[in-house]
Each structure stands twice: as structure tokens, then as C-alpha cells.
Amino acid sequence: MQSLMAPNSIAGAQGCYTAPKSRAALARRVATRRPATSAVTVRAGKDPKGPRVVIAGITGAVGQEFIRVLTERNFPYSEMKMLASARSAGSKVEFDGATYIVEELTETSFDNVDIALFSAGGSISKKFGPIAAEKGCFVVDNSSAFRMTEGVPLVIPEVNPEALDGWKLGKKKGGIIANPNCSTIIALMAVTPIHRAVGVKRMHASTYQAASGAGALAMAELEQQTREVLAGEPVTMNVFKWQYAFNLFSHNAPMTENGYNEEEMKMVKETQKIWCNNDVSIAATCIRVPIMRAHGESINLTLMEDLDEKDAKELLSKAPGVSIIDDRVNNRFPTPLDASNQDNIFVGRIRQDISQPGKRGLELFVCGDQIKKGAALNAVQIAEMLL
């Protein structure tokens, strides 16, 4: 993807960033800037006029979170179907006061379906996503299978809703929409408001990623290992090669030839696609830490224009889906527990980077629920935009 923007313009959720012509102009922008489009919220519940919905991968951690988020947001639907592997077929799922029998995912599962929420792994998405789309279904896919595919929107509703222009039930005959990586979502929810205001030239993220990112089995193993370590028993290691409890290690994603792992490169490539800008410099270091379901990220930015930390905090306070915890007096900043089971991303430690000249450097610490906004909630918000 080649950038088509002028050197001083950067694509964002509201079109292009254009460098302010003066400090007064920047001050006005910071004081008044509000995103033109926030995530759509649709509340209706079971409705004979609602879409026909399936969840592919219902038995996994994100699949289970889908049904919680759909319930919390009272997502409109006329029919609901739960899909999983043959091994899980026949099990029961409770949703919206009804009991559903899990069905085996097959090529006929998407007949007469409007929206499919996928979280069954990349290989399943690659096999069944195109089949569903060909049948007229809108597929919102949580895997990495289609994120970098030309023509497949990669969407965070609060960040780049314009990527779904023209994607509406009744106006377009199906297609695949990709949910970004959880770490990308959490980072860009916090960084994009700053990017829109003054432009980001460079971003480096160090992530501290929870067990939930590796699925329900990793969460269970962390809990089991914790009990074993405290009891002085041998540690069970079925999911990771290393002890997870009371430890941390480089993210378990496969390494690439450049020395970065695939998780780190997802953040690089996905940010450039979402921002429609290959010129922004991005690097990441991703670490797996022994917490359950919310990621932390330390983010360092180099900006295209000066931005005072107070102005940055003001920008973030107006951003949809972002909450501020930034109390220097009491040393109170975001934690993974603050973010767990929450819709919003939490931002704190907002400060100038003293290693960079002027006010072109900024430091942030961000926490977000990996299963919720990092996966299920973002996908459901995308589905709401289709209505």
C-alpha cells in the first residue's frame, strides 16, 4: 500500500492530518477537537427485523465473550446460531434467556445468515470465511487471516470508521472485515487522538500481555501453575514451553528473520494500514506476563509538532472509549485490574519524553481488556456499524 498523502498530511479517521500553521492554531485544535465519528451503539435485543447472526468458535474465550458483549449491548438479532468444532457439537450455550445447542461448523452453516462473528483460529477463518462471504454473509473475523489482505477493511470503529463506508446490510452483498490484533487496538485507541492533532512520526510500544491473548487454555494453565508453585508441586506446562506463573517471557509468537516476532510485526503493519500511512516508523517489544485478561502497553511517541503533556491529556479526555487515570500526587495510574471486564481503554503516565528535544516526545502507559475491547467488543461494534 503506497501512501498517497502529501508529506505534511497523514490519513486518520477524519481524513488527513495537516500540520497546524501556528501555536495558536494548535491550541485551538487541542481545545476543540472531537472525533467526528464515535463507535455506533445499537440496542434492540431479539427483533424479528434484526439480522440473522452466527458465532463461529463459541466455546473459546473470545466466543464466550461475544455472547456477554451481545447481551450487554442488547444487539439486535432475529436468529442466533452457535458454531464450533465437531468435538464441541451438541454442547449447550445459554444466551439471552434461551438454550442453544452448539452445531458443527460446516460449509452449510452460513446459508441464510447475515452476520458471522468469527473467533475460531486463522485456519478455520481462511477455510470458511470466504465461503460465508460468498453466500452474502458479513464476516467479522478476529484472526490474523485477512488483516493485511487488499480490499479487506481492518477496523477500529473509534479510529477509522470510514473504512466501512458503503458496508451496510441490504446495500452490499457480504464480505470479510478484519478485527485488528488486540495490542494494536489498545495502542491505537490511545495514540490516534494525538496522531490526529499533531501527527505521529514514530511509535515504540513495549507490551505486557495477559494469558487471555493465548486463549482459555492458557488462562487455565496460569491458574493451575499458580496453585502448583504455591504448593511446591511440579509445574504443568502444556500451553507454553516455559513456566508462566511468577515469570514473564518474550511473546510466544514465532520469530521472523528481522529479529522481531510475528506479534510485534502485526502492530507495525496493522498500524500502517489502519492509519493509511507507511511513512510512520513503528517498533514493538511484546512480552507475556502472568496476568489474566488485560494487557498493559508502554508507548513512546515522536511527534511531528510540539504537544504539551497537558494538551495531550485534554485530547485524550475527549476521546471516545478512553478513560484517564493519571494521578501523580498519589502515584495512581492504570493497571490491568482497572481495565479487566471494562469497555474503555485506560491511559496514564502522560508525560514529555525528556530524551527528545522540545515537546516532540511523549510517553504513555495504556491498559485494555484483551478479550473485550481487544477482541469481542471491537468485533460487535463493527457488526453494529453494518446495521
Side-chain angles (χ1 to χ4, degrees):
M1 184 191 307
Q2 295 298 316
S3 175
L4 301 179
M5 310 309 301
N8 68 334
S9 299
I10 298 175
Q14 296 171 281
C16 301
Y17 158 75
T18 303
K21 296 180 179 180
S22 65
R23 288 295 299 167
L26 173 58
R28 288 193 297 273
R29 181 180 293 184
V30 170
T32 62
R33 186 74 178 209
R34 288 183 182 273
T37 307
S38 58
V40 176
T41 301
V42 178
R43 301 186 186 279
K46 192 160 188 180
D47 181 346
K49 296 182 180 179
R52 297 159 295 184
V53 179
V54 304
I55 300 175
I58 185 60
T59 57
V62 176
Q64 291 295 297
E65 194 70 16
F66 276 144
I67 60 176
R68 283 190 284 269
V69 172
L70 291 168
T71 300
E72 288 173 359
R73 298 178 75 83
N74 218 5
F75 185 88
Y77 68 98
S78 58
E79 299 176 16
M80 182 68 66
K81 186 160 48 175
M82 310 296 183
L83 305 175
S85 66
R87 184 178 63 254
S88 298
S91 58
K92 297 179 180 180
V93 174
E94 300 293 327
F95 172 68
D96 200 19
T99 301
Y100 291 81
I101 305 299
V102 175
E103 302 176 28
E104 182 182 356
L105 174 58
T106 68
E107 293 185 3
T108 62
S109 296
F110 307 99
D111 294 343
N112 301 311
V113 170
D114 298 309
I115 297 174
L117 301 174
F118 267 69
S119 188
S123 61
I124 297 297
S125 293
K126 288 178 180 178
K127 179 178 179 180
F128 291 103
I131 293 172
E134 183 63 27
K135 293 185 177 185
C137 179
F138 286 95
V139 175
V140 185
D141 181 43
N142 195 58
S143 80
S144 61
F146 304 105
R147 289 175 186 158
M148 301 311 298
T149 301
E150 187 71 28
V152 173
L154 183 64
V155 180
I156 305 171
E158 298 91 339
V159 171
N160 64 329
E162 77 287 348
L164 286 182
D165 286 350
W167 289 65
K168 291 287 184 182
L169 284 171
K171 294 185 179 180
K172 177 178 171 58
K173 187 180 181 297
I176 297 173
I177 305 162
N179 220 26
N181 178 266
C182 51
S183 298
T184 305
I185 293 173
I186 292 166
L188 296 194
M189 285 289 293
V191 176
T192 300
I194 295 166
H195 176 60
R196 291 173 183 155
V198 296
V200 170
K201 182 178 181 181
R202 169 193 162 275
M203 176 174 77
H204 185 274
S206 295
T207 71
Y208 312 97
Q209 298 187 215
S212 57
L217 292 178
M219 297 171 75
E221 184 161 289
L222 174 58
E223 184 176 347
Q224 179 181 359
Q225 285 189 5
T226 301
R227 289 196 299 266
E228 291 169 342
V229 171
L230 292 175
E233 299 173 355
V235 172
T236 301
M237 293 186 290
N238 294 324
V239 177
F240 299 116
K241 299 176 183 178
W242 312 273
Q243 178 178 316
Y244 193 12
F246 304 97
N247 193 21
L248 55 82
F249 46 83
S250 180
H251 193 282
N252 48 290
M255 297 298 295
T256 68
E257 291 183 359
N258 66 3
Y260 288 79
N261 63 43
E262 289 183 1
E263 182 81 359
E264 293 158 351
M265 292 309 300
K266 287 175 186 177
M267 294 190 71
V268 174
K269 295 175 182 178
E270 292 175 20
T271 297
Q272 291 174 338
K273 179 172 179 176
I274 291 167
W275 281 355
C276 300
N277 184 349
N278 283 349
D279 295 330
V280 60
S281 299
I282 305 164
T285 299
C286 296
I287 303 297
R288 188 73 76 186
V289 297
I291 51 181
M292 271 300 171
R293 59 175 290 155
H295 291 352
E297 302 188 19
S298 175
I299 299 174
N300 178 276
L301 302 174
T302 300
L303 309 175
M304 297 182 71
E305 298 290 329
D306 284 358
L307 181 66
D308 185 82
E309 61 189 37
K310 293 181 180 178
D311 292 336
K313 189 172 181 178
E314 178 69 15
L315 280 168
L316 290 166
S317 71
K318 296 177 180 180
V322 174
S323 296
I324 307 293
I325 303 178
D326 196 69
D327 183 353
R328 295 181 181 180
V329 173
N330 295 298
N331 199 20
R332 177 72 173 95
F333 304 103
T335 71
L337 288 179
D338 292 318
S340 293
N341 297 294
Q342 300 299 310
D343 290 359
N344 279 11
I345 302 303
F346 292 79
V347 185
R349 298 301 311 277
I350 304 165
R351 63 201 189 279
Q352 307 293 164
D353 176 0
I354 59 175
S355 72
Q356 299 191 57
K359 295 183 177 181
R360 297 287 179 96
L362 200 66
E363 298 262 18
L364 310 170
F365 186 69
V366 184
C367 289
D369 190 303
Q370 180 275 329
I371 308 179
K372 203 165 196 186
K373 180 55 183 173
L377 173 59
N378 199 77
V380 172
Q381 289 175 307
I382 290 171
E384 289 172 347
M385 295 178 70
L386 301 172
L387 304 181

